[in-house]
Amino acid sequence: MKHKMLLTLTSALIIAAGVGTANADDKKTLAIVVKGLDNPFFEQINLGCQKWISENMDSEYECLYTGPASSADEAGEVQIVDDLLTRGVAAIAISPSNAPAMANRIRQINPDVPVMTIDADFLEKDRDLRATYLGTDNYLMGVKMAEEAMTLKPGGGSVCLQLGNVAADNINARAAGFRDTISGVKGTERLANSNGWTEIEGCPVFTNDQVDLANQQMADTFTANPDLDAFILIGGWAQFAPQAYAQVTDQVMDRLKSKELILIAGDTLPPQTQAFRDGRSHAQVGQRPFEMGYRAPDVMIELINGKKVDDPLYTGLDVCNQSDPGFCADN
């Protein structure tokens, strides 16, 4: 409890500093709230936000990037959004870690400023609460992962999916895209000899967006299942800690090289593309977080001005595999 309070306090201080600066400059705040400041994926969103600031110094608006210190602090993220809306922002873009909890709070607050989602969306039943979603077509991302898996293992095999937060809509959408594509049946909840593919006992595993836990889960899965055919990182968590990820994959490098075991991961941040080039994954399906952060302020301003904005707004994907390294070859 004490740890969570400290995380929330840290986040509150970040908010206070950011909003205070914006008010001091007589600028209105366009807030971007992410799941956690400890995730390098979200730092790319921050860099996009900062680039927007540098190009719009004369704007009446300022982009504020914030979130809980830890991606595991779901309650902290909800509190940050609550605090921002109470303090007063011109608009807010949220990447909800716990989509139902965040939606419930937004429904209770009923803010009179534009609300949008970024990177991760609300559940379908709650999407009336936001004006638009800016980010990845997550279902398509899962489809792409499945296509890579089927290319590498045409006959199928045993598979373990590594997911994030149980209630994260974006991660669950990727898992759905993967399973539906593998099985050929929409709405498949679990692969059970579906076109030759079966999810092993104990999987999926849930990282709760924790990098250390992601690597431990991989190591434990490889040890307990020496004949596993495929491990799918629906998000890139384990790869965000290059040294730990290298140690985990070292124990199965012979199987990775022979493709007895295939490994497919989400995202294409620099440590991940390096892992791909080192043969520690067979395919990466990358999002474009920098673009999300860069575009979000302009979308929020359009919403403030009452302009019609498409819903959703997809930012695209980059697929790297051994036949076509593409984006991963130089990044």
Side-chain angles (χ1 to χ4, degrees):
M1 179 64 70
K2 182 179 179 182
H3 180 60
K4 180 170 284 190
M5 288 176 63
L6 287 172
L7 294 179
T8 304
L9 176 60
T10 300
S11 304
L13 292 172
I14 292 169
I15 291 173
V19 174
T21 300
N23 290 339
D25 295 338
D26 295 323
K27 289 182 180 289
K28 301 172 186 176
T29 302
L30 305 172
I32 299 176
V33 184
V34 298
K35 298 176 183 179
L37 304 182
D38 57 343
N39 188 323
F41 176 87
F42 294 123
E43 179 57 22
Q44 292 298 310
I45 291 180
N46 180 34
L47 292 176
C49 170
Q50 296 305 316
K51 180 175 174 60
W52 185 91
I53 291 174
S54 70
E55 294 179 353
N56 294 273
M57 299 297 290
D58 296 331
S59 173
E60 64 179 306
Y61 297 100
E62 185 164 72
C63 181
L64 170 68
Y65 166 84
T66 188
S70 168
S71 298
D73 189 4
E74 299 173 16
E77 186 189 25
V78 174
Q79 186 61 56
I80 286 170
V81 169
D82 195 321
D83 291 346
L84 282 168
L85 291 172
T86 300
R87 290 172 180 273
V89 293
I92 191 166
I94 308 166
S95 174
S97 180
N98 186 318
M102 185 66 75
N104 287 341
R105 190 64 190 123
I106 293 296
R107 197 177 296 279
Q108 292 167 356
I109 296 172
N110 190 25
D112 58 3
V113 298
V115 175
M116 61 179 284
T117 49
I118 183 171
D119 166 63
D121 205 355
F122 290 147
L123 301 181
E124 189 170 354
K125 68 182 180 67
D126 295 320
R127 290 177 186 170
D128 61 307
L129 296 171
R130 90 300 186 262
T132 189
Y133 161 73
L134 171 67
T136 302
D137 181 340
N138 284 287
Y139 185 89
L140 178 61
M141 188 172 177
V143 170
K144 295 295 184 185
M145 289 181 171
E147 290 173 348
E148 294 299 322
M150 291 188 293
T151 297
L152 289 161
K153 291 275 189 183
S158 56
V159 59
C160 180
L161 273 60
Q162 185 175 64
L163 310 183
N165 185 295
V166 175
D169 180 77
N170 60 333
I171 300 301
N172 292 334
R174 292 177 207 170
F178 183 89
R179 291 178 174 128
D180 290 356
T181 303
I182 290 285
S183 67
V185 179
K186 193 86 168 177
T188 298
E189 295 186 3
R190 186 175 180 84
L191 300 174
N193 196 23
S194 307
N195 286 329
W197 291 88
T198 297
E199 291 182 61
I200 62 172
E201 185 177 351
C203 289
V205 291
F206 295 89
T207 69
N208 294 321
D209 296 325
Q210 297 177 53
V211 170
D212 55 346
L213 179 58
N215 277 293
Q216 186 61 55
Q217 288 173 341
M218 288 186 70
D220 292 346
T221 301
F222 293 155
T223 299
N225 302 274
D227 297 323
L228 183 69
D229 293 301
F231 193 93
I232 313 297
L233 290 80
I234 293 294
W237 308 282
Q239 294 178 324
F240 295 156
Q243 184 174 357
Y245 181 74
Q247 291 175 346
V248 170
T249 49
D250 274 348
Q251 64 180 285
V252 292
M253 276 306 291
D254 288 345
R255 299 194 70 229
L256 291 176
K257 288 178 180 178
S258 67
K259 298 181 185 177
E260 292 176 49
L261 169 65
I262 62 168
L263 202 157
I264 297 166
D267 300 326
T268 49
L269 299 187
Q272 298 180 278
T273 57
Q274 184 61 56
F276 170 81
R277 291 192 295 273
D278 291 344
R280 299 183 184 277
S281 73
H282 296 92
Q284 301 280 149
V285 181
Q287 306 176 79
R288 297 171 181 172
F290 181 90
E291 183 179 343
M292 296 177 202
Y294 182 64
R295 288 178 60 183
D298 286 329
V299 174
M300 285 190 273
I301 291 171
E302 289 180 345
L303 293 172
I304 291 168
N305 293 333
K307 294 184 179 179
K308 181 176 175 55
V309 173
D310 290 340
D311 177 29
L313 295 168
Y314 288 138
T315 48
L317 294 164
D318 296 298
V319 179
C320 310
N321 56 45
Q322 294 179 339
S323 299
D324 182 10
F327 179 87
C328 297
D330 304 313
N331 290 276

